[in-house]
Amino acid sequence: MASWLWHELKPVDLPVVCVDARHAHAVLSVRMNKSDPNDARALAELIRVGWYREIRVKSDESQAVRLLLVARSRLVSIRRDLENQVRSLLKEIGLLFPRAIGSRFRAHVLRLLDEQHVLRLIVEGLLTIHEQVEQQQVALDKRVRKGAKADETTRRLMSVPGVGVVTALAFRHTIDDPTRFRSAQTVGAYLGLTPRRKQSGELDFNGRSRSG
């Protein structure tokens, strides 16, 4: 709830700082007895000595877009899991069909299973859920495309070859405010793209990113 608290306390002019969770975790991990009072005291000492790094809280707009993308990603995962489950059920009885998604997938399955087949009732329930999930995903896809079309920065990112709507929108609202980064290298580190580094004497070599 840190983000919500930050946005609620700022309008009433209360001083609020959002601390990097990794720094706070490092401090709390050295406490012998872990309890809520001890954690609160450790956090207070952390603030008192100033050994913390403040992080920027994303805007309400970016938070909303990221929640939208997370919800869409979850629906895509559910739809894919249902498709894999149905495929595995049919494969156990020797029924195979080419790759397909959405309505084509359901049509292939129903074509292979006649009304009297033992799996018909089982699979029909899964396909009903699959259809509902697909409908909700389509609705979120429309919202994603509408949001991308309305944002100039996102449209500019989409002009890069290989960058689609979801990737551009996710990057745009993960960065949110680009002025908080000193250089492109800090952006890479923020996204977890920290390069390998080999340093020995006069040798100082930066390699590929650990995350690919």
Side-chain angles (χ1 to χ4, degrees), residues 103-138:
S103 58
R104 291 180 57 195
F105 172 81
R106 295 190 296 273
H108 278 306
V109 174
L110 295 176
R111 176 176 54 82
L112 292 175
L113 299 176
D114 54 37
E115 294 290 341
Q116 288 74 35
H117 200 284
V118 65
L119 284 181
R120 179 76 181 206
L121 291 178
I122 299 174
V123 171
E124 278 184 343
L126 296 176
L127 292 183
T128 300
I129 299 174
H130 180 272
E131 183 177 7
Q132 294 175 352
V133 170
E134 183 191 15
Q135 291 173 356
Q136 295 303 317
Q137 181 192 333
V138 169

Side-chain angles (χ1 to χ4, degrees), residues 3-184:
S3 177
W4 176 80
L5 286 170
W6 191 91
H7 284 292
E8 291 295 318
L9 293 174
K10 273 292 184 181
V12 295
D13 296 328
L14 287 176
V16 53
V17 173
C18 194
V19 178
D20 191 326
R22 290 171 296 184
H23 282 194
H25 176 72
V27 173
L28 297 179
S29 63
V30 301
R31 308 289 290 193
M32 294 295 295
N33 298 318
K34 183 167 177 59
S35 64
D36 288 345
N38 286 344
D39 286 351
R41 180 178 295 276
L43 291 174
E45 293 175 356
L46 176 71
I47 300 300
R48 180 177 60 81
V49 300
W51 190 68
Y52 65 89
R53 183 175 64 186
E54 181 179 0
I55 63 172
R56 293 283 294 271
V57 178
K58 291 182 175 60
S59 63
D60 288 334
E61 178 188 2
S62 290
Q63 286 285 92
V65 172
R66 285 173 59 82
L67 291 175
L68 172 62
L69 294 176
V70 168
R72 179 195 174 276
S73 177
R74 183 58 178 164
L75 289 178
V76 171
S77 177
I78 294 173
R79 191 207 69 206
R80 184 173 58 247
D81 289 344
L82 287 170
E83 291 173 354
N84 291 338
Q85 182 64 56
V86 172
R87 279 185 178 276
S88 67
L89 290 175
L90 269 62
K91 194 173 184 179
E92 288 185 7
I93 58 174
L95 298 177
L96 302 175
F97 57 93
R99 183 183 181 276
I101 60 175
S103 58
R104 291 180 57 195
F105 172 81
R106 295 190 296 273
H108 278 306
V109 174
L110 295 176
R111 176 176 54 82
L112 292 175
L113 299 176
D114 54 37
E115 294 290 341
Q116 288 74 35
H117 200 284
V118 65
L119 284 181
R120 179 76 181 206
L121 291 178
I122 299 174
V123 171
E124 278 184 343
L126 296 176
L127 292 183
T128 300
I129 299 174
H130 180 272
E131 183 177 7
Q132 294 175 352
V133 170
E134 183 191 15
Q135 291 173 356
Q136 295 303 317
Q137 181 192 333
V138 169
L140 292 187
D141 284 343
K142 291 180 180 179
R143 292 183 58 183
V144 168
R145 287 193 294 269
K146 182 178 179 181
K149 185 178 180 180
D151 186 75
E152 181 182 356
T153 303
T154 304
R155 295 199 307 270
R156 190 180 302 120
L157 289 170
M158 290 170 59
S159 65
V160 178
V163 177
V165 176
V166 175
T167 302
L169 204 61
F171 182 79
R172 161 73 175 86
H173 290 282
T174 298
I175 300 302
D176 192 18
D177 180 14
T179 60
R180 61 196 176 107
F181 298 102
R182 297 190 303 272
S183 66

